[in-house]
Structures are given as structure tokens and as C-alpha cells.
Amino acid sequence: MHVSERLLQLYADTNASIRTKLQETIKQNLGDGKSLRMSFEELTGTTNTTLSNEEKSAMDFAAWIKDGKKDATFLPYYVSLLEMHDAVLNKEATIPQSNPVDKTTVNETSVVVKAVVPVPQPVAVEDPKGKEKSLTSKPRYMPEAPVPSRAERAKYQRTIEPAKPRRKSGKWIGVLFLLTLLIGGGYIGYPYVMDLLEPKPEAKIVEETPKPGPEPVVQEPETNYVWLASKNVNLVSEPNGTTITYIGDIGDRYEIVKELDDHVEVNLDGTTAWAPIDSVTTDWPTRDLTDSALLDWVNTNLNNDWLGEAIPDFFAMNEAALTETIGAPYGRETDALNAYAFYNGGFFVIQQDKVHAIDWTNTQTTREAFSPLGEPVLETDDAVVYESETYSLRLFEGTNGQIRVRLTEK
């Protein structure tokens, strides 16, 4: 069974208080840093050579828990300890204590008291001459040259003589010239004036109705998708990286962002991750399975006593409505994409505050029980997928014989 599937199964089988005690014990043991292999040996008394020799501290482990358990280095270490939690919690972990160091030092500084000597302020001395100057009037302006008298100015004035009368003959010449212009202009302009006075037929203006052009065709952009073709696919933060952003299941559908070499970048509800090309497919067949036939199979072959409501009603609920309907879960976990609410009998997958899937854990259902549903959409050695128009029904087989069934709204 994949380590992520073991973690989901362990969360379904253990309560939150045990997991919290185990996490505190791990933090005390890791302290300022030690290898995960050595820490596992100290906590359990056994050796696990598959664990990493990389040194990790309690702060690294706390950050890993808070960040949604993305780092693949911590995942097998934590799952192995969770499987042996009885032995770990019953054994006292040895935590090296370090002698406290008094880092407080007192620095004595000499205080110099300086006497403040008052500085004498300059006293303003009033100038007695200032009053005398203010009483003295300003001297009158005296022109550099004397102003000439009226008689002298008269010498420079010009004598104005009366204008001589014009000759009267010029007026008659002007009148004759004007009469000639009027007579000639009237003769020449008469046809134009008459043409302006005649009424002209009004021109009819015909407005052409514009022909409607072809309506623009709105082309919706084509969206490409991929489906995971194998169980428990690690979606990493970068191509060939080790930081796991999300662990997907067979049959999950994602929108393609871009492709690069042997990886494809997919959209994860606001973030992205990279999936190996050999773990995805773009060819996803359809079957003639109806919603009613699929739901009838779920009601017949699975134990639904812990639900108490009709299956389709849960997919219209948010987390608050779910709690109000069947009570509060005994455990809750989150990752980069979903939240998981654990109950006795299974758990709910909540995506964007809405029930996205229902999982039945530790069922007695076999692969042969799915045969009445017809041909599956996809089948592997450890998983099988059936789909109707609205729902996806999947079976996951673990290496230890455990069977998990998931119903998802597409």
C-alpha cells in the first residue's frame, strides 16, 4: 500500500489525541536536529534502514505538519511511527538536556555630571541717534535743470495754418464713376440674379438602409484535460522535484497548464503542480452507465448506516451543513487541495467548502461485486473506475488486503 494511503487509513483508525501526543513526542526527540533513522531507532527500539539519514529538527517537523505534509522525506518516517504509536507512547523518549547558559551581562557605564553654565544674553542698546533720524524729514527733490518758462516753450511750438478747400470738380468725377459701376454691374449680374429668384425643384434624398453584416462567431477557448491513470500519483512542485504538493488518485481530472519534457503542469484550484507523463492519459472513454444504476449499487453493496441520509443529498452540503446533519467528525485533516472529515465508517472529502467525495474504509467489497455495473472506464491491478454522467465510483486495493471505495461528484 502506498505510504499516503497508509496515512489516510491510520487517520481513520486513530483519534486526534493519540496523534497529538505522538507529534509532541517526535518534537521532543528531534530537538535541535538528528537523522530520521536515528530518531526512529530511539523512539521504537527498532531499526528502519529505508528512512533518510538527513538531519531534521523539531522545528522542521512542526513546519511539515503545518504545511500539509508535503515533504516526502518526513512522510514514511511519520507513517511508520504512527503505525507503532502504542510502543512509542509507552516508552519514555530520551531527550538530551543542555546546560542553560546565562547570556545576560551587565555593562557598567560611568555617568559624567556636567554643570550647566548659563550663557549671558546680549543686551540690546538703544541708539539715541535713531530717534533723531526718525524726526528728520526727507530732502525735497530738486531737478538738475530748470523748467523752461511758457514763453520759451512757445518758441518750439509749430504754427498751425487752416486747411485749404478742395476743388469741387473731383466730386463729380467720383459720382460718374460710381454710376458707371452700378450700370455695368447690373447688366452683367442680371441673369445670375434672375436665376437665383426662380424656384428650384427640391432634390429627393433617398436614405439607404445599411445591410446587416454577419454576426461575429464567439469561439470558446478549447480546454485540455488529463486524467490520472494510476493510483496514488505524487504531484510535485517542479519537474523531477521531491516536494509533494498533492497526492492524486486514479480517475482524477485536471486542466493542463503546459507540458515540459516528461512532465505536465496541471491546475489545482488556484495553484499548480507537475505530474509525470507516464502517470496520466488524455484518452478517457465514456460508458452507458446511468446515475440511478450506479447509486443503486452503492445502496446495495456498501454499509450506509453511518450516513443516515440519501447519498445525493450530501453533495449539496457544505461542511457546516454536514456537521449539523450527522454530527461533528472525530478527526479532521487538510492538504493543499482538500479537507478530510473522519467518521466511524469512512470520511468525507471537502473541496472549496463543499462535499466532493465520500469514502468507505475497511469495506468487505470485492472487485467481483462491481461486475453488474458492466465494463469499467479504467482498470489496473490495484484499482478500478466506473463513471456515470454525474458520479465516479472507484475501488482501491491495499497491499494488506484493505479495500476502500470512493464516490465522487464529477
Side-chain angles (χ1 to χ4, degrees), residues 111-119:
V111 180
V112 180
V113 180
K114 296 182 179 180
V116 180
V117 180
V119 180

Side-chain angles (χ1 to χ4, degrees), residues 21-44 51-65 71 73-75 77-78 81 88 92-98:
K21 290 179 183 179
L22 180 63
Q23 291 170 8
E24 292 301 323
T25 304
I26 291 173
K27 292 177 187 177
Q28 292 177 7
N29 182 264
L30 289 176
D32 293 334
K34 65 176 64 172
S35 70
L36 298 182
R37 188 180 300 179
M38 180 185 298
S39 173
F40 180 83
E41 185 174 351
E42 291 177 357
L43 290 173
T44 63
L51 298 179
S52 172
N53 272 324
E54 183 180 354
E55 284 196 1
K56 295 288 185 178
S57 66
M59 293 181 62
D60 296 332
F61 179 74
W64 179 74
I65 292 291
D71 190 353
T73 307
F74 270 118
L75 192 58
Y77 164 78
Y78 179 60
L81 289 176
V88 174
E92 289 186 358
T94 304
I95 305 174
Q97 301 293 332
S98 59

Side-chain angles (χ1 to χ4, degrees), residues 36 69 85 91 93 120 128 143 182 206 216 224 237 243 289 308 314-315 320 354 359 387:
L36 298 182
K69 308 176 185 64
H85 67 270
K91 178 181 163 106
L182 289 173
V206 180
N224 296 323
S237 60
T243 302
L289 180 62
F314 286 101
F315 292 104
K354 185 175 179 291
D359 280 51
E387 284 193 351

Side-chain angles (χ1 to χ4, degrees), residues 62-71 243-245 334-336:
W64 179 74
I65 292 291
K66 184 178 179 181
D67 198 31
K69 308 176 185 64
K70 295 181 181 179
D71 190 353
T243 302
I244 300 173
T245 302
T334 59
D335 57 25

Side-chain angles (χ1 to χ4, degrees), residues 345-389:
F347 59 88
F348 290 86
V349 181
I350 300 168
Q351 195 172 105
Q352 295 181 341
D353 195 29
K354 185 175 179 291
V355 173
H356 175 66
I358 307 173
D359 280 51
W360 287 262
T361 56
N362 295 327
T363 67
Q364 303 302 318
T365 307
T366 62
R367 185 186 293 258
E368 289 74 19
F370 283 78
S371 58
L373 295 176
E375 184 181 0
V377 176
L378 184 64
E379 185 174 11
T380 62
D381 293 338
D382 54 3
V384 61
V385 181
Y386 286 86
E387 284 193 351
S388 64
E389 183 180 357

